[in-house]
Amino acid sequence: SGSITTPDVKLNLGGEFIKESTATTFLRQRGYGWLLEVEDDDPEDNKPLLEELDIDLKDIYYKIRCVLMPMPSLGFNRQVVRDNPDFWGPLAVVLFFSMISLYGQFKVVSWIITIWIFGSLTIFLLARVLGGEVAYGQVLGVIGYSLLPLIVIAPVLLVVGSFEVVSTLIKLFGVFWAAYSAASLLVGEEFKTKKPLLIYPIFLLYIYFLSLYTGV
């Protein structure tokens, strides 16, 4: 009749024969079979966004509790804040502190982030000079997380702002709380008699943070 019948081609895949279409057969015969190949899904590409960014919300929440409740009697393993530093948790705390410090002045945000980065660098360099075994990432995380006490006292200051004496006491309490939380993690036994040399600049750093919030 002048017609040519295309032979059926079957593939043996795992003991099962699958009939190929005419187009598939044609492509394979011409050497273009690679166009029909399908890549397997890589499980690495299907990770949740938080896992991709290396964000552990449970770990961040635990570190927040360690900073807000620095008393050893409460049973928290507070050294995890120093020994297992992360970036996103401290950054979130610093940005939140920046947001409540705005008062319509967006320059405050850049100032607070700058003071966090370079203030932590100063504490790190001083700690290394004094013989402390601490990494810059650890200092950055501890200083960032320890801003939480200043965030806690911020709404209280809005209420008692008209009472100067009470407001001053609350500010001092917040600064001591933040400085104690940070110093208790960064100032180890290796400093011995040199502890005041590191505690004092940490205290001054949080006074400066508070001044950026209050505008003093």
Side-chain angles (χ1 to χ4, degrees):
S1 61
S3 62
I4 300 175
T5 58
T6 304
D8 293 335
V9 179
K10 295 181 179 180
L11 297 178
N12 185 1
L13 298 177
E16 296 183 359
F17 288 93
I18 301 176
K19 184 178 180 180
E20 283 191 342
S21 66
T22 303
T24 302
T25 305
F26 177 79
L27 289 175
R28 291 190 185 280
Q29 290 176 348
R30 294 298 186 274
Y32 297 103
W34 55 271
L35 292 172
L36 305 173
E37 295 179 359
V38 179
E39 295 184 1
D40 296 332
D41 292 336
D42 189 354
E44 296 292 329
D45 297 334
N46 298 324
K47 288 184 177 181
L49 179 59
L50 293 181
E51 189 175 344
E52 284 284 349
L53 297 176
D54 197 22
I55 300 176
D56 190 342
L57 296 179
K58 291 183 178 179
D59 181 59
I60 292 174
Y61 174 66
Y62 185 81
K63 291 176 180 178
I64 289 174
R65 295 173 65 191
C66 291
V67 171
L68 291 178
M69 294 175 281
M71 289 72 70
S73 59
L74 296 177
F76 289 108
N77 181 20
R78 300 187 66 246
Q79 288 302 315
V80 72
V81 182
R82 169 178 170 171
D83 297 338
N84 186 25
D86 65 289
F87 176 73
W88 297 108
L91 178 62
V93 174
V94 172
L95 288 177
F96 186 67
F97 181 73
S98 302
M99 291 300 104
I100 66 174
S101 303
L102 278 178
Y103 290 121
Q105 303 178 29
F106 289 96
K107 293 181 180 179
V108 175
V109 177
S110 59
W111 265 109
I112 290 176
I113 295 176
T114 302
I115 295 303
W116 171 47
I117 294 174
F118 288 98
S120 299
L121 179 61
T122 302
I123 300 298
F124 162 71
L125 293 176
L126 184 58
R128 299 292 293 192
V129 169
L130 294 176
E133 296 296 330
V134 63
Y136 176 61
Q138 293 175 325
V139 178
L140 196 68
V142 170
I143 296 297
Y145 273 117
S146 296
L147 275 174
L148 286 166
L150 300 186
I151 295 176
V152 171
I153 69 169
V156 181
L157 291 177
L158 293 177
V159 176
V160 300
S162 57
F163 303 97
E164 186 175 350
V165 176
V166 178
S167 178
T168 302
L169 290 176
I170 292 176
K171 290 176 184 178
L172 289 174
F173 172 73
V175 170
F176 274 109
W177 185 4
Y180 173 77
S181 184
S184 60
L185 290 167
L186 294 177
V187 182
E189 292 299 324
E190 64 267 24
F191 292 102
K192 296 182 180 179
T193 59
K194 301 176 182 178
K195 288 182 178 181
L197 295 177
L198 192 61
I199 295 175
Y200 181 65
I202 292 175
F203 180 73
L204 292 180
L205 181 61
Y206 285 106
I207 289 180
Y208 192 73
F209 275 124
L210 184 64
S211 69
L212 291 174
Y213 167 71
T214 58
V216 177

